[in-house]
Amino acid sequence: MEETFVHLHTHSTYSILDSAIKIPELVKKLKELDYKSCALTDHGTMAGLMDFYKEMRKEGLKPILGMEAYVAPFGKKVRERSNSKHLVLLCESLTGYYNLVKIQSDASINGMYYKPRTDFEMLEKHHEGLIALSACMGGEVQNHILEDRYDEAKASAINYDRIFGRGNFYLEMQDFGTRDCIKVNDGLRRLSAETGIPLVC
């Protein structure tokens, strides 16, 4: 089977109360379905990456190491429980891995408020070697579209594109067949056409 799709946003049991996927079972299923690669992007943690890396390599598959970060748009010092939006970060290189370690460690030590949060300052400082996806409905761009704030969604997308550099930030589309998904995906397609920021499914 020729590979036409790679999962770039995948959670495991390390995403507490969010996924029941065990890493060995995930890798076994990927092998069964003849996938060649997959990303692991657990919520706010890199704890499963070593297990994932070893299991994937054992089966001759390419692991893409990542994390779904919680970004505090007003800064991680602002103590507001709802003050965090999702952002998928994928390592493109060893430098990217080291930068992701720095982002995650700082989020847990200095940004922890119910969840380990990072901010734009950390992303600006440690973006090299990382590819970012706008994430799910919990992402900043998607959230603005969902709440009919298109101009703010566009400004957010342009800001992330500036931080990570053209070709390193993607607008992530998901399809669960809901009205919200249709609305968000329509908005993302419009954003992509107007800004040139590429789409990823």
Side-chain angles (χ1 to χ4, degrees):
M1 172 179 121
E2 185 182 334
E3 184 177 80
T4 56
F5 183 83
V6 175
H7 289 283
L8 297 176
H9 187 160
T10 314
H11 299 305
S12 74
T13 51
Y14 286 92
S15 290
I16 307 298
L17 299 177
D18 190 60
S19 174
I21 300 172
K22 294 176 182 172
I23 288 171
E25 292 173 9
L26 168 65
V27 175
K28 185 182 173 188
K29 182 56 78 173
L30 290 168
K31 187 76 175 175
E32 229 176 79
L33 297 174
D34 202 26
Y35 278 90
K36 302 293 185 288
S37 185
C38 182
L40 185 68
T41 54
D42 282 311
H43 279 297
T45 183
M46 297 172 68
L49 291 185
M50 190 54 68
D51 288 346
F52 178 68
Y53 179 85
K54 287 177 179 174
E55 290 288 333
M56 289 286 281
R57 297 293 285 188
K58 194 165 69 180
E59 293 295 339
L61 305 177
K62 179 184 177 184
I64 301 170
L65 307 182
M67 179 181 78
E68 187 165 9
Y70 298 106
V71 181
F74 306 112
K76 61 181 181 254
K77 291 180 183 174
V78 177
R79 300 299 190 192
E80 187 183 320
R81 194 167 180 177
S82 62
N83 179 36
S84 62
K85 302 297 178 201
H86 299 196
L87 182 73
V88 172
L89 299 173
L90 304 172
C91 301
E92 185 181 29
S93 63
L94 189 57
T95 299
Y97 177 78
Y98 290 149
N99 277 326
L100 189 59
V101 169
K102 288 172 188 171
I103 290 167
Q104 198 275 327
S105 296
D106 180 76
S108 294
I109 295 166
N110 300 312
M112 180 62 77
Y113 188 68
Y114 291 89
K115 295 175 180 177
R117 304 169 308 146
T118 191
D119 57 21
F120 293 128
E121 186 183 342
M122 281 300 290
L123 296 176
E124 292 259 16
K125 196 172 175 185
H126 301 291
H127 69 273
E128 189 183 347
L130 291 173
I131 291 174
L133 316 181
S134 62
C136 55
M137 298 288 193
E140 186 178 348
V141 176
Q142 282 87 330
N143 195 248
H144 286 319
I145 292 171
L146 207 50
E147 296 181 359
D148 298 314
R149 298 193 301 264
Y150 181 78
D151 288 344
E152 288 176 55
K154 190 172 183 178
S156 294
I158 289 168
N159 184 46
Y160 280 121
D161 192 50
R162 177 192 60 79
I163 290 171
F164 291 94
R166 182 49 57 103
N168 295 316
F169 174 67
Y170 292 80
L171 298 168
E172 180 180 340
M173 298 176 71
Q174 298 181 351
D175 185 3
F176 300 110
T178 64
R179 277 187 216 160
D180 284 348
C181 261
I182 292 165
K183 178 179 180 177
V184 166
N185 288 341
D186 286 345
L188 292 174
R189 279 191 285 268
R190 179 183 166 192
L191 261 180
S192 180
E194 291 179 6
T195 63
I197 299 170
L199 296 165
V200 69
C201 295

